[in-house]
Amino acid sequence: MTEIRNNWTKEEISAIYHSPLLDLIYRAATVHRENKDYAEVQISSLLSIKTGGCPEDCAYCPQAARYHTDVEVQALMSVEQVTDAAQKAKAAGASRLCMGAAWREVRDNRDFDRVIDMVKAVNSMDMEVCCTLGMLTESQAQRLADAGLYAYNHNLDTSEDDYKRIITTRTYDERLKTIENVRKAKLTVCSGGIIGLGETVEDRIAMLKTLSNMPKHPESVPINALVPVKGTPLADQPRVPVWDMVRMIATARIIMPKTVVRLSAGRTEMSMTDQALCFMAGANSIFAGDKLLTTPNPAFSEDMQMFEILGLKPREAFKNGRPVVTQQEALHVE
Ligand code: SAM
Ligand code: DTB
Ligand code: SF4
């Protein structure tokens, strides 16, 4: 079995990333097959539960209030709207619902109480529930865990050195602190990044080093290709070559062998052949459904056709066990 390491050096990661492409894919595919059922791909469906109007200045994001994008601000959804969406996603084959809110951080108010109710409701539908709500304190993470949350997504996006170029309204340390709070609550961690922001290859390697040197590897690492959106500072960034996506995925697979590596944003611009290379390189999860949070994504039916052609199968929910809903939060179910 592959050894799990938390001490990868920049030089080692760089040597893997830069190895001849076909060697890299072959090595990643080998690690993948040693550690996972390579044909099993986890499907998450994204739902934007609160859209736009965010006070942060993330240069890539269509939901930041300060940029003039076509995104319409929408207040927090109702629990019923969320369960309806969850039902549809489940029927289409998704095992996880990931709810995203355009918040800088969670506040202890009625909106958070409603998110807690959403988590309980979706969890009781036999779906894994994931949230991405911005920064969290330890007690907020604990409340989400007690309600039955499965995973929390909080991306590093790029390297620590490059972070200030992309976001000025919070620090890398704050990002890492939230991930620590999520860990303390025993939630699973989903954390990854975006390529195509204008970062250097060294930044990509440094980000992968931060992720792989965490005391415990994130259970899932999403690799997003920037979706350039009109009105954001990064609207005119050139598209990333598919080879960069393949190198990122393969390197993540090799250094974090047990992690779910998610081929995330950017699939509408990729052919089935491009995506097949990413699966070969160790990707074993996707976001499915015709919308990511605010931008388009391939239709479920197209993805199912791709699964059929490539011989992939959707992973069932809760294969690694269920979260324990505490008595205290369970009593609050309405
Ligand atoms: N507001 C919360 C936060 O920033 O943590 C949660 C929602 S935010 C939209 C979730 C993630 O989406 C970001 O961390 C970023 O990695 C990704 N994202 C946002 N806009 C993107 C874009 N245009 N292209 C690719 N990924 C994007
Ligand atoms: C992640 O890494 N990518 C997803 C999810 N986690 C929350 C978000 C992608 C957003 C793409 C831009 C949009 O649709 O607004
Ligand atoms: Fe806000 Fe999240 Fe978008 Fe940044 S990425 S502007 S925090 S919604």
Side-chain angles (χ1 to χ4, degrees), residues 21-231:
L21 190 76
L22 296 184
D23 287 342
L24 175 61
I25 296 174
Y26 183 75
R27 180 169 170 196
T30 307
V31 170
H32 195 183
R33 280 156 200 253
E34 279 168 9
N35 289 282
K36 306 252 177 213
D37 174 356
Y38 73 91
E40 200 175 70
V41 175
Q42 188 262 327
I43 300 183
S44 288
S45 176
L46 278 169
L47 181 66
S48 184
I49 56 169
K50 186 268 168 182
T51 310
C54 182
E56 300 284 77
D57 70 351
C58 312
Y60 49 75
C61 186
Q63 303 198 66
R66 65 192 73 202
Y67 310 135
H68 299 284
T69 66
D70 293 336
V71 168
E72 267 178 51
V73 176
Q74 262 162 9
L76 187 65
M77 281 185 175
S78 65
V79 177
E80 293 69 42
Q81 281 175 305
V82 170
T83 47
D84 281 358
Q87 199 56 58
K88 285 193 189 116
K90 189 180 174 186
S95 61
R96 179 181 291 190
L97 185 75
C98 178
M99 304 192 278
W103 287 333
R104 170 184 160 79
E105 77 245 307
V106 169
R107 304 232 169 106
D108 294 305
N109 57 17
R110 280 210 232 137
D111 278 356
F112 187 40
D113 295 343
R114 200 193 292 173
V115 172
I116 294 289
D117 287 341
M118 293 172 185
V119 171
K120 287 186 220 167
V122 179
N123 191 40
S124 71
M125 293 166 64
D126 255 359
M127 283 184 97
E128 296 171 3
V129 198
C130 170
C131 277
T132 182
L133 314 168
M135 291 185 264
L136 278 186
T137 64
E138 196 181 330
S139 66
Q140 291 164 342
Q142 192 56 55
R143 246 192 108 189
L144 286 165
D146 290 344
L149 191 77
Y150 191 86
Y152 195 79
N153 165 257
H154 204 62
N155 289 340
L156 294 180
D157 289 338
T158 182
S159 70
E160 181 163 12
D161 288 347
D162 193 37
Y163 206 65
K164 296 171 278 304
R165 185 179 65 85
I166 302 297
I167 299 147
T168 69
T169 49
R170 59 169 185 254
T171 64
Y172 213 64
D173 274 349
E174 286 177 306
R175 220 61 194 160
L176 294 170
K177 182 74 198 160
T178 292
I179 296 174
E180 233 179 84
N181 290 339
V182 170
R183 272 280 173 238
K184 283 188 194 147
K186 303 212 164 43
L187 288 166
T188 65
V189 170
C190 172
S191 185
I194 309 178
I195 62 171
L197 303 169
E199 74 286 347
T200 62
V201 170
E202 287 69 35
D203 290 318
R204 294 178 188 169
I205 288 161
M207 181 184 79
L208 288 173
K209 177 168 188 266
T210 305
L211 292 168
S212 65
N213 283 11
M214 287 178 176
K216 194 170 174 203
H217 293 166
E219 282 76 5
S220 82
V221 170
I223 306 291
N224 295 275
L226 174 73
V227 181
V229 179
K230 197 169 84 194

Side-chain angles (χ1 to χ4, degrees), residues 304-325:
M304 284 309 108
Q305 223 176 343
M306 171 171 80
F307 273 40
E308 177 83 34
I309 290 170
L310 302 181
L312 302 174
K313 52 180 190 242
R315 182 186 161 95
E316 290 160 35
F318 301 118
K319 270 202 147 172
N320 287 340
R322 285 172 185 276
V324 183
V325 179

